[in-house]
Amino acid sequence: MFEFENERSELVEKIEEFIRRKQYAALRDLLSPIEAADIALLMENLPEEDLPLLFRLLPKGLAAAVFVELDSDEQELLIQGFSNTELKEVLDELYLDDAVDIVEEMPANVVKRILKHSDPDMRKSINEILKYPDDSAGSIMTTEFVDLKTSMTVEDAFKRIRRTGPDKETINICYVIADNRNLIGLVTIRTLLLAEEDAVIGDIMETSIVSVTTLDDQEDVAGTLNKYDFLALPVVDTENRLVGIVTVDDAMDVLQYEATEDIEKMAAILPSDKPYLKTSVYDMFKARIVWLLLLMISATFTGQIIARFENALAAATILTAYIPMLMDTGGNAGSQSAVTVIRGISLNEIEFKDIFQVIWKEIRVSVLCGVALASANFIKLILIDQLLFRNPSVTPLVALVVCCTLVVTVFTSKLVGCMLPLLAKKVGFDPAVMASPLITTIVDATSLLIYFQFASLILHI
């Protein structure tokens, strides 16, 4: 991959040169050894008018693999240029879950054409999967798996795998089902290879099975695959009938999507399913303006607090200089706790029942952080602000006000930061929404109130 990244620009230049000179055989030889995902990256750097030609030069199997890796806009462009025969050839090479992903991204007229030229079995399966809710296990599963019967011998199993395997997404794990399609066991290729040919599947299969239902959340499914290091996970319906499997490549896509979504929410951006460079300015505006408006309105509370203590600031104007530092430190401290807890929630390491344990841990962390920050800040105020810069307004009492506020602000911020995500999860909200923006707003107002209260007590203003 590293070498490919270094050679990408050189490869793009070679491809453009071959196209310009119409050296199509040389271009085909250049592309054939390259991985499908890397060819897709190359196609992103080429003019749109060259994509259909490039795609038609690829071998059939490689072309289908490249098609899956392309962005939806490029897929739509190619589909629009395909003849009916070409479209059917590509669809015949696709695995079912990849076909479903493409259908979900395409406009209605393109979907209609795809379904029209799909074979009846694939069309039926696509329609069935599309009925499942978004973000559910059913929406990301594939129905292309190998199933066996308990009465089969190992020899019979291999015959079935050879006969049906080429059309399946994976054959590493075969699932054993009863006559009513209930999932009763599984057997790996390794087990089959090491068993005697006359061994019965029912005797060598594993009966301890981890499975998910069609309506389970896709993020939970991906987490389960990650937890057990499975290559695939069986999906059953409410009656324990095997209806599909979720493979590790789909789980990785889910984890990437969910991680991106959480990061966007934590940065006060509405999630987007398009790459940055392909997202229009208007779409980015819509994704950002909502939270910016809410945060701007909430920030007015901070302004009202400052206005309320205007007399105190007039009596000791030096206090104004330390407001940004206190607010930023509080916001950063709260965000640290929030991000740590949100990650724990996402990995199922932390549940609501752990809230008191989390609070107690954050209390101890906040005391250590607060004291360390206050000590460093006191030394800075006395040695640098007062002695070095000879600022007479920075007295030991002013330094004491700032440092006491810092300790209490860090303490409060970390409590808010650890509690809000857990409370959000408890009432059914996404914990990521409770991260940086909302916590910062709460902490800013709280830190100012604490600041002015200490100023009143210590400086008597």
Side-chain angles (χ1 to χ4, degrees):
M1 181 62 183
F2 177 75
E3 292 181 359
F4 172 79
E5 290 295 332
N6 290 336
E7 296 174 0
R8 189 197 299 187
S9 58
E10 183 181 338
L11 285 171
V12 169
E13 291 177 4
K14 285 184 179 179
I15 292 170
E16 291 176 337
E17 181 68 18
F18 285 147
I19 292 175
R20 186 165 56 252
R21 295 185 177 183
K22 297 184 179 181
Q23 296 177 335
Y24 301 136
L27 180 55
R28 181 188 177 98
D29 293 339
L30 174 68
L31 295 174
S32 295
I34 302 176
E35 293 292 331
D38 293 333
I39 294 177
L41 288 175
L42 291 173
M43 293 177 76
E44 290 179 3
N45 293 275
L46 293 168
E48 289 185 350
E49 59 269 19
D50 292 338
L51 298 189
L53 170 63
L54 202 64
F55 188 84
R56 289 185 175 99
L57 289 173
L58 298 174
K60 188 186 299 183
L62 180 59
V66 170
F67 188 80
V68 171
E69 299 291 340
L70 294 172
D71 290 335
S72 57
D73 291 342
E74 293 161 346
Q75 289 174 342
E76 183 180 354
L77 175 70
L78 288 174
I79 291 174
Q80 298 285 15
F82 283 163
S83 66
N84 292 338
T85 303
E86 288 174 326
L87 178 59
K88 190 174 188 316
E89 287 178 352
V90 171
L91 293 173
D92 288 344
E93 292 291 327
L94 295 180
Y95 291 120
L96 177 61
D97 55 339
D98 293 328
V100 171
D101 290 340
I102 292 168
V103 167
E104 288 179 329
E105 297 291 335
M106 294 295 115
N109 62 320
V110 177
V111 171
K112 185 176 180 181
R113 188 168 175 231
I114 290 174
L115 294 177
K116 179 180 178 181
H117 294 284
S118 303
D119 66 69
D121 290 338
M122 175 175 277
R123 183 163 58 247
K124 180 181 176 182
S125 298
I126 289 174
N127 287 328
E128 287 178 355
I129 291 177
L130 290 176
K131 292 177 184 177
Y132 292 108
D134 291 341
D135 301 333
S136 68
S139 68
I140 62 170
M141 72 180 184
T142 178
T143 58
E144 296 167 328
F145 56 88
V146 176
D147 55 68
L148 305 173
K149 299 290 186 180
T150 55
S151 57
M152 287 181 174
T153 63
V154 169
E155 184 179 5
D156 295 333
F158 275 123
K159 287 180 180 178
R160 179 169 177 77
I161 292 169
R162 293 189 188 98
R163 186 174 68 253
T164 63
D167 298 326
K168 307 304 180 184
E169 184 157 352
T170 179
I171 60 171
N172 292 327
I173 301 174
C174 304
Y175 298 93
V176 185
I177 58 175
D179 292 336
N180 58 358
R181 297 200 61 79
N182 275 11
L183 178 63
I184 56 177
L186 61 85
V187 61
T188 65
I189 287 293
R190 174 186 173 87
T191 301
L192 291 173
L193 286 171
L194 296 177
E196 298 294 334
E197 289 187 351
D198 57 351
V200 178
I201 296 298
D203 296 334
I204 63 172
M205 69 180 184
E206 297 179 30
T207 55
S208 178
I209 311 168
V210 177
S211 63
V212 295
T213 67
T214 53
L215 299 180
D216 284 346
D217 185 86
Q218 63 176 12
E219 189 173 7
D220 294 336
V221 174
T224 302
L225 271 167
N226 181 58
K227 177 182 178 181
Y228 294 104
D229 292 329
F230 289 159
L231 295 177
L233 196 61
V235 182
V236 297
D237 61 15
T238 54
E239 298 178 4
N240 197 43
R241 290 177 300 196
L242 182 63
V243 293
I245 62 172
V246 175
T247 51
V248 68
D249 58 321
D250 295 313
M252 292 176 64
D253 291 338
V254 169
L255 291 175
Q256 180 181 2
Y257 171 79
E258 296 290 346
T260 302
E261 184 180 57
D262 287 345
I263 291 170
E264 288 173 332
K265 288 178 179 178
M266 291 165 65
I269 301 173
L270 296 179
S272 171
D273 57 356
K274 291 184 178 180
Y276 177 83
L277 294 177
K278 296 192 176 182
T279 304
S280 69
V281 172
Y282 182 66
D283 286 339
M284 294 180 71
F285 161 76
K286 288 192 299 181
R288 299 180 184 184
I289 192 61
V290 176
W291 263 109
L292 287 175
L293 286 170
L294 290 174
L295 292 173
M296 183 186 70
I297 293 170
S298 64
T300 58
F301 293 110
T302 306
Q304 290 176 351
I305 293 171
I306 294 176
R308 180 184 172 189
F309 291 95
E310 187 176 356
N311 293 333
L313 290 174
T317 54
I318 189 62
L319 294 177
T320 308
Y322 303 108
I323 289 177
M325 182 271 293
L326 292 170
M327 293 172 63
D328 288 346
T329 302
N332 292 335
S335 296
Q336 285 179 336
S337 297
V339 170
T340 305
V341 171
I342 289 169
R343 180 181 180 278
I345 293 173
S346 300
L347 297 177
N348 295 318
E349 296 174 349
I350 301 174
E351 298 179 7
F352 185 76
K353 66 180 181 180
D354 303 316
I355 187 168
F356 293 111
Q357 186 178 349
V358 171
I359 290 173
W360 174 232
K361 176 169 286 189
E362 289 298 329
I363 285 174
R364 288 175 288 171
V365 173
S366 66
V367 169
L368 292 173
C369 290
V371 170
L373 290 170
S375 301
N377 198 57
F378 188 86
I379 294 172
K380 178 258 183 188
L381 289 171
I382 299 301
L383 293 182
I384 297 178
D385 292 21
Q386 185 186 57
L387 298 179
L388 183 61
F389 293 138
R390 300 180 184 279
N391 189 339
S393 300
V394 181
T395 64
L397 287 179
V398 168
L400 182 62
V401 169
V402 174
C403 294
C404 288
T405 304
L406 201 54
V407 172
V408 179
T409 295
V410 170
F411 179 86
T412 306
S413 302
K414 289 198 173 291
L415 283 184
V416 172
C418 73
M419 290 173 61
L420 270 182
L422 286 168
L423 293 173
K425 182 70 173 178
K426 180 67 175 177
V427 299
F429 287 111
D430 189 337
V433 179
M434 297 291 114
S436 182
L438 189 56
I439 288 171
T440 301
T441 302
I442 295 173
V443 166
D444 285 350
T446 305
S447 61
L448 283 175
L449 287 171
I450 295 168
Y451 191 32
F452 291 126
Q453 290 301 323
F454 275 119
S456 299
L457 289 172
I458 297 174
L459 301 179
H460 304 291
I461 56 176

